[in-house]
Amino acid sequence: MTNDTAVFDAMRPDRERAEREWAGQMGTRNAIKRDGLEIDAASLAFCPHEWINSDGDVDLELVRKFPLMLAL
């Protein structure tokens, strides 16, 4: 498996604290935008395309199981 897919952390704005917080998902640029979330550009990483589900989200269980397979 090669790390051939760019993925990002999805961020949710917290208007009360004027900050952003992690939305609990990683995904492709299109998937994050589709869900109405913001992309954390600094979190750019690459993972195997096999880790991306049909919605464009990363399977976080695989990231936890094989953390060294995620290329930052």
Side-chain angles (χ1 to χ4, degrees):
M1 272 191 270
T2 60
N3 293 343
D4 58 2
T5 305
V7 294
F8 301 87
D9 286 338
M11 305 299 287
R12 178 178 292 115
D14 183 340
R15 299 192 195 323
E16 291 179 13
R17 296 185 309 190
E19 297 178 359
R20 297 182 322 158
E21 62 184 11
W22 187 53
Q25 71 185 64
M26 289 180 80
T28 61
R29 183 178 297 275
N30 290 338
I32 293 170
K33 286 183 177 183
R34 178 203 62 229
D35 293 344
L37 300 169
E38 297 177 6
I39 294 166
D40 180 7
S43 70
L44 171 63
F46 293 87
C47 73
H49 64 271
E50 293 90 352
W51 289 15
I52 309 294
N53 66 22
S54 61
D55 292 329
D57 297 321
V58 175
D59 183 336
L60 294 179
E61 287 302 315
L62 288 173
V63 173
R64 289 181 187 101
K65 190 173 180 179
F66 304 104
L68 298 178
M69 288 288 296
L70 192 67
L72 305 174

